[in-house]
Amino acid sequence: MVIEQPIWLLLLLPLGLLWWKFPAPSKALQVMRAVLLVLIVLALSSPALPLADRAGTVVVIADRSTSMPDAADRAIIEQVALIQDGMSPADRLAVVTFGGNAVLEHPADLGAFDAFSQVINPEGSNLSDAIRNALAVIPPDSPGRIIVLSDGLWTGRDPMPQALDAVGRDIAIDYRELSRPRANDVSIEHVDAPLSVGPGQSFMITAWVNAPTAQDIEFEILRGNTRIAQGEHPVTAGLNRLTFRDTAGEPGTADYRIRIVTQQPDPLPENNTGRFLVGIEGEKPVLVISETQGAGLARLLTQGGLPIEQRTPDEVDWSLEGLTNYSAVVLENVPAQSLTTRGTENLAAYIDQAGAGMLITGGQRSYGPGGYFKTPLDPLIPVSMELRQEHRKLSLAIVVAMDRSGSMAAPVSGGRMKMDLANLGAAEVLGLLSPADEFGVIAVDTRAHMIVPLDQVGSETAATRGRILGIDSMGGGIYVYEALSNAANMLVDAEAQTRHIILFSDAADSVEPGAYKELLEHCSAANITVSVIGLGSPTDPHAVLLEDIARRGNGRIFFTKDAMNLPQLFAQDTFVVARSSFLDEPTPVATTPLLSALVGQPLSQPPSVGGYNLTYLRPDAQLGALTRDEYNAPLVAYWQVGAGRVAAYTGEADGEFTGAISTWGQTGEMFSSLARWVAGRGSRLPNDMLVTQDVVDGVKTVTLHLSPERELPQPFEKMPVVTTLTGRPDAPPAVTELSMQWTGTDTLAVQMPVQSQETSLSTVTIPGLGQTQLSPTRLLYSPEFRTRGDREGVENLESIAELTRGMSRIDLASIWQDLPEIPRQVAVGHWLMFASIFLILLEVLERRVGVFALLHRSESRRQPAEPSAETEEALPTKKAGGWGSVLRRKKTKQATASLSSSASADPPAVKQAKAKEKPSPPAESPGISSALEHARRSADHRTKK
């Protein structure tokens, strides 16, 4: 027994003295009081008993990577249900899922598991992190066991070090294999191609094809959309080489795809197609994005000697590898929406992290009116677009109609629901309005629910914001007509001149539009506009309806699949409605010496501009030109932001509102200088340093080679840093920054994992010496499908199980019986206190009734009387024979004869008197009622004492 607070045991001394000094009236009470005092003192001292316990935690590691069978998710859920069936109430079950990343899918104290809800990257099998997360779930002082439901084909870090951690904690790792067949798999083993070449350089591409049997295959290799080779080729069992030749084009990134087709069914067709990148070094062109081909700005830049490519927004490849073809991007009066959400995210990351440049020009479709406010590009622009109330000309009334249907309860990243992010969007609208504006919110499912009545915003907005953020998804679909009609009724009596509805709805669940066309006609007549934010894509079932509502409502339409973008979209639409920041009047301008320094020559006084976007210079930006009106607003501004450069021209470069500045003789030099400055020339490392990179088995290694003949052992003060920008088709770009470490006397290196479908762009920076950008890289295909042996996966699982004393588990429910028994210190103080209470009640009963005394007397009456010595001598012994039995028989006969003789010696008168006497009846033994009465009197007597 362990006693946590032994100080209480000292009470036994004074209590024992009192117990001895003041004894109880009876022996039973004295014993009871002694036990009672001991129990109370022990309870106060917090005792605990070491008891063996098998109840513990089982963690299921579920593989959800693409290498798993098609129905693996359903099979895993069924197997987890079997494990749950064997649980006791004291057991705990957790589920960890993994792919390229590992997440805790189901905490141990959450109840029954019945479905997957967490988002993982399926292009990988990070079993190492999955085991680490599983070990973190099991409490250190509790029995635990892990079971892996996987094909055993891991990628990334080796899971064996994590298995050793499990050994140290005495946690066994079991497994059950779930795998796809791999027999007769023909695959592209790997491709040998240079990571970078020079313009016009010829180079070789070698593809290695692994075939299980001899057969004929078809092949095709593409550079972008251009086919450079195609044909048939016989292959033998084992590795086969296919060789191609190509010539590098203009500087940028060449994107290659190679594909083979087999004559027999292939169990893993995913490894029959590969994609790889080849960087082409040299001065990259500037990409000019304009909605019209042959724009005047592109001609000015070409005349200025810049290599350019002009594209419309729809023609641009907004992937990270697509953007690496250009040194800078010029946005000529194009709306942010035409760049797509993915485009703005990748472009912002390419500028900030990889050192690219951007020049943005003004117009009615740029800056604030173009929806750049709150986009990823907004913080990179050297001028701000915030709403300053002193420049507001008109008040505004906005009603937000919120979809709160059942689909809004779907979870998104960060543990939030779609409804939570929509609520944040509506709250963002409130934050952009002035106290004089009017604002209201309704939540709509099958009917409209008033959340915030239309009223002036005022200065106290905390309570209103709280009501908005508290909107819950309540089920049902959104009735579109109910939303529009109720919002319009709220705006009819608004005092503001500008009246606007923001309809937020699920693009796949917007029903019951009713007579919305007639309703929107009445809205247009009442000067009410309608914008729509659709959660989904333009291909969803009700997207056409939402687009038509926005068109008839003279508003804007926004679609997004990612609920994380909702606050940004609400803010963009509010910004456009609240203030038209494009001033379409001729405005005089003036340049500053900074612009002359940038251009490299003195500048004359420029003519006026025909209009400009009203913005405000950011604190760290450089001012090149400004307007000479009441605002003194920036016309040209530029700055270094992150690793890149960004310049802003708030006038319209080529269009209706360009103005007289188009005739200025130095306009071309100004725009060419701005574009040349943002494009930069990319700093280089000293000639005695060389940076290389390679990708092997899903791990990218960047190595810095120093000259062996250098004078100093370490030619830099701080360790070089590798900043890696990774882009995926379905996620915002991510940034990783790692310090290089010495790997030899002349080399430093850093390693990082590379996932499938992920473009990796690294930049090496040596503080004080410069930086260099490497060519983008990517994996040939998902490492999930690389060529492996038929038993490689199960052998991996067997090795982990053997190391940790686990097993291949057939009966899943029996895993609970294999948890180790671990002694636990179980607190028993509360049980001792319960026993003390029972003894107190028993003492009261004894004092009032005398139960123990009664039982003692009853037992005494039931026992027979002690036999006399004479009778005992007359009784025969159990053992027959012997002198003792003879003597006893003689004494018995003598006693009988004596009694007979005495009886015969009585006189006749005495005999007659004895004969006449009647035998008296036996005395009646006292009954239970008299005994209870006696006990009661005794108890009363003790109580009165």
Side-chain angles (χ1 to χ4, degrees):
M1 176 183 291
V2 176
I3 297 179
E4 297 181 3
Q5 301 183 37
I7 189 67
W8 289 100
L9 297 178
L10 296 177
L11 283 177
L12 289 174
L13 298 176
L15 292 176
L17 181 61
L18 292 174
W19 174 81
W20 176 75
K21 187 69 175 175
F22 301 98
S26 66
K27 184 178 180 181
L29 286 174
Q30 187 75 348
V31 173
M32 290 170 60
R33 287 183 181 179
V35 175
L36 176 62
L37 293 176
V38 172
L39 289 177
I40 292 175
V41 172
L42 284 177
L44 292 175
S45 63
S46 302
L49 293 176
L51 301 176
D53 189 7
R54 197 186 293 274
T57 303
V58 168
V59 183
V60 178
I61 295 180
D63 188 347
R64 300 184 63 201
S65 63
T66 54
S67 64
M68 294 288 285
D70 293 337
D73 280 6
R74 185 173 65 252
I76 290 173
I77 292 174
E78 293 173 353
Q79 292 173 4
V80 173
L82 293 175
I83 297 175
Q84 289 179 148
D85 291 342
M87 292 176 61
S88 71
D91 291 324
R92 302 165 74 244
L93 175 70
V95 179
V96 171
T97 59
F98 75 98
N101 59 312
V103 297
L104 178 60
E105 178 75 42
H106 181 81
D109 54 356
L110 197 61
F113 171 79
D114 55 7
F116 293 109
S117 60
Q118 297 292 333
V119 177
I120 57 103
N121 172 21
E123 301 296 337
S125 296
N126 195 341
L127 181 57
S128 175
D129 280 0
I131 296 176
R132 177 174 56 82
N133 289 1
L135 291 173
V137 173
I138 302 174
D141 57 346
S142 172
R145 204 170 182 101
I146 296 172
I147 179 168
V148 180
L149 307 179
S150 170
D151 57 10
L153 301 174
W154 55 268
T155 61
R157 289 187 291 269
D158 190 339
M160 294 306 288
Q162 298 297 336
L164 286 173
D165 291 344
V167 173
R169 293 184 53 185
D170 195 23
I171 296 176
I173 301 178
D174 301 334
Y175 71 91
R176 174 177 280 193
E177 183 195 13
L178 299 172
S179 61
R180 295 166 62 174
R182 288 179 173 263
N184 299 320
D185 175 33
V186 179
S187 64
I188 303 173
E189 181 82 4
H190 63 276
V191 173
D192 295 330
L195 291 177
S196 62
V197 295
Q201 177 182 342
S202 296
F203 59 94
M204 303 299 294
I205 300 173
T206 301
W208 296 89
V209 178
N210 190 3
T213 59
Q215 56 187 291
D216 292 334
I217 63 169
E218 299 178 5
F219 66 87
E220 178 185 46
I221 184 168
L222 303 167
R223 181 184 65 245
N225 295 322
T226 303
R227 182 182 294 109
I228 62 175
Q230 182 182 21
E232 295 185 0
H233 187 79
V235 295
T236 60
L239 281 178
N240 300 264
R241 182 173 62 183
L242 301 179
T243 304
F244 311 95
R245 180 174 177 171
D246 197 23
T247 302
E250 298 296 325
T253 302
D255 189 351
Y256 290 87
R257 287 177 173 82
I258 183 170
R259 183 171 66 93
I260 61 174
V261 179
T262 62
Q263 296 178 348
Q264 302 174 359
D266 195 321
L268 294 175
E270 292 88 349
N271 56 23
N272 292 356
T273 301
R275 181 182 175 189
F276 58 98
L277 305 174
V278 176
I280 305 173
E281 299 177 350
E283 184 180 358
K284 299 178 182 179
V286 174
L287 174 63
V288 178
I289 301 176
S290 176
E291 292 188 332
T292 58
Q293 287 286 358
L297 179 59
R299 291 196 303 271
L300 288 176
L301 297 179
T302 302
Q303 293 171 3
L306 284 171
I308 70 163
E309 288 186 17
Q310 185 178 1
R311 298 282 187 272
T312 64
D314 294 338
E315 296 172 339
V316 177
D317 177 9
W318 292 108
S319 66
L320 186 59
E321 58 269 26
L323 291 174
T324 57
N325 287 305
Y326 310 102
S327 60
V329 175
V330 177
L331 302 176
E332 186 191 0
N333 194 20
V334 292
Q337 189 175 357
S338 67
L339 309 184
T340 71
T341 300
R342 179 191 178 203
T344 57
E345 291 173 344
N346 285 341
L347 179 57
Y350 185 43
I351 296 168
D352 188 39
Q353 301 297 329
M358 182 180 72
L359 168 63
I360 179 171
T361 68
Q364 292 181 318
R365 297 183 298 275
S366 186
Y367 293 100
Y372 284 86
F373 184 63
K374 293 287 186 178
T375 66
L377 292 173
D378 182 12
L380 303 182
I381 300 174
V383 294
S384 64
M385 297 169 277
E386 76 269 17
L387 290 174
R388 293 189 179 179
Q389 303 306 327
E390 63 268 22
H391 295 161
R392 291 274 305 275
K393 302 300 184 183
L394 301 174
S395 60
L396 171 66
I398 287 186
V399 172
V400 180
M402 304 279 291
D403 178 359
R404 73 165 195 178
S405 61
S407 60
M408 293 299 109
V412 294
S413 60
R416 294 182 289 187
M417 297 185 297
K418 293 179 179 179
M419 193 78 250
D420 297 328
L421 294 167
N423 294 344
L424 286 174
E428 189 77 23
V429 175
L430 175 64
L432 291 172
L433 301 181
S434 69
D437 293 325
E438 297 170 84
F439 179 68
V441 178
I442 57 174
V444 185
D445 40 48
T446 56
R447 62 187 183 90
H449 308 269
M450 181 65 67
I451 304 299
V452 179
L454 184 68
D455 199 357
Q456 285 190 335
V457 173
S459 58
E460 299 293 333
T461 60
T464 302
R465 182 180 176 88
R467 291 198 296 272
I468 295 171
L469 297 179
I471 300 175
D472 292 326
S473 173
M474 301 298 289
I478 178 173
Y479 281 24
V480 172
Y481 188 82
E482 284 289 322
L484 293 175
S485 60
N486 281 274
N489 288 335
M490 293 173 66
L491 288 171
V492 167
D493 299 326
E495 297 180 359
Q497 297 177 353
T498 303
R499 306 171 184 180
H500 187 63
I501 298 172
I502 299 178
L503 173 64
F504 166 67
S505 183
D506 190 337
D509 193 24
S510 301
V511 296
E512 299 296 332
Y516 76 95
K517 297 178 181 179
E518 292 79 0
L519 175 62
L520 292 176
E521 289 179 3
H522 293 301
C523 288
S524 180
N527 196 30
I528 298 174
T529 57
V530 181
S531 290
V532 180
I533 299 175
L535 186 58
S537 69
T539 60
D540 285 340
H542 300 136
V544 175
L545 168 64
L546 300 182
E547 290 175 341
D548 193 47
I549 291 173
R551 181 178 61 82
R552 294 177 182 271
N554 300 311
R556 286 151 296 281
I557 178 70
F558 304 90
F559 287 109
T560 179
K561 292 182 179 180
D562 188 355
M564 300 295 290
N565 296 327
L566 291 176
Q568 167 190 321
L569 298 180
F570 276 90
Q572 287 181 19
D573 188 65
T574 304
F575 185 95
V576 175
V577 175
R579 172 177 74 116
S580 178
S581 63
F582 186 77
L583 306 182
D584 56 357
E585 298 177 355
T587 306
V589 298
T591 62
T592 70
L594 291 175
L595 184 59
S596 298
L598 186 68
V599 174
Q601 63 180 354
L603 296 176
S604 62
Q605 176 63 35
S608 63
V609 295
Y612 72 98
N613 293 89
L614 179 58
T615 59
Y616 310 95
L617 189 70
R618 294 191 188 271
D620 296 329
Q622 305 296 321
L623 182 63
L626 70 161
T627 64
R628 287 304 187 189
D629 56 3
E630 59 180 307
Y631 301 120
N632 289 323
L635 181 71
V636 176
Y638 57 93
W639 67 351
Q640 181 95 26
V641 56
R645 299 176 176 182
V646 179
Y649 176 75
T650 60
E652 188 172 34
D654 181 27
E656 179 184 355
F657 300 101
T658 302
I661 198 172
S662 62
T663 62
W664 186 37
Q666 294 177 305
T667 299
E669 294 179 6
M670 179 186 70
F671 282 121
S672 297
S673 298
L674 290 173
R676 188 175 291 108
W677 181 81
V678 298
R681 289 191 175 273
S683 60
R684 299 293 183 200
L685 299 178
N687 294 331
D688 60 347
M689 297 183 183
L690 175 66
V691 179
T692 60
Q693 62 177 344
D694 57 68
V695 180
V696 178
D697 291 336
V699 178
K700 178 177 179 178
T701 303
V702 178
T703 305
L704 174 62
H705 304 267
L706 305 180
S707 172
E709 301 177 356
R710 66 188 185 279
E711 296 180 0
L712 298 176
Q714 179 173 308
F716 34 80
E717 297 180 357
K718 295 182 179 180
M719 297 300 289
V721 175
V722 178
T723 302
T724 302
L725 181 63
T726 55
R728 292 180 55 85
D730 55 352
V735 178
T736 303
E737 188 173 284
L738 299 172
S739 295
M740 304 188 81
Q741 303 296 327
W742 289 99
T743 57
T745 57
D746 302 319
T747 57
L748 298 94
V750 69
Q751 290 186 331
M752 65 206 74
V754 181
Q755 304 292 337
S756 175
Q757 300 184 5
E758 183 178 88
T759 299
S760 176
L761 179 63
S762 294
T763 301
V764 179
T765 303
I766 301 179
L769 293 181
Q771 65 180 19
T772 184
Q773 185 185 109
L774 304 179
S775 300
T777 59
R778 62 172 296 129
L779 297 182
L780 189 65
Y781 48 74
S782 172
E784 292 288 292
F785 304 111
R786 66 181 176 86
T787 305
R788 305 172 189 253
D790 292 341
R791 283 189 47 82
E792 180 176 339
V794 70
E795 288 174 354
N796 292 336
L797 296 175
E798 288 173 348
S799 298
I800 294 173
E802 182 180 358
L803 178 65
T804 61
R805 297 191 298 276
M807 66 179 70
S808 173
R809 187 162 293 278
I810 305 301
D811 184 6
L812 296 175
S814 66
I815 192 172
W816 303 102
Q817 282 70 49
D818 292 331
L819 288 174
E821 287 188 348
I822 295 181
R824 296 180 185 271
Q825 297 296 333
V826 180
V828 295
H830 57 290
W831 295 111
L832 296 178
M833 194 59 71
F834 289 151
S836 301
I837 295 172
F838 174 76
L839 281 178
I840 291 173
L841 297 176
L842 192 59
E843 181 182 350
V844 172
L845 181 63
E846 170 63 17
R847 291 176 62 86
R848 299 296 298 176
V849 179
V851 174
F852 287 103
L854 175 61
L855 294 176
H856 178 71
R857 285 192 293 271
S858 299
E859 183 66 22
S860 298
R861 284 191 294 270
R862 283 195 297 269
Q863 290 179 358
E866 292 288 336
S868 63
E870 294 81 0
T871 308
E872 184 176 353
E873 291 178 355
L875 293 175
T877 60
K878 291 182 180 180
K879 186 176 180 181
W883 293 103
S885 60
V886 173
L887 292 174
R888 278 192 292 271
R889 282 196 294 272
K890 288 182 177 179
K891 291 182 178 180
T892 302
K893 291 179 180 180
Q894 292 173 358
T896 303
S898 175
L899 289 173
S900 301
S901 63
S902 63
S904 61
D906 288 339
V910 176
K911 292 181 180 179
Q912 186 177 1
K914 287 183 178 181
K916 289 182 179 180
E917 288 181 359
K918 294 182 179 179
S920 59
E924 185 179 346
S925 62
I928 188 63
S929 59
S930 61
L932 290 174
E933 179 62 23
H934 176 73
R936 186 187 64 78
R937 289 196 299 268
S938 300
D940 290 342
H941 176 69
R942 287 192 301 272
T943 305
K944 290 175 182 179
K945 282 179 70 175

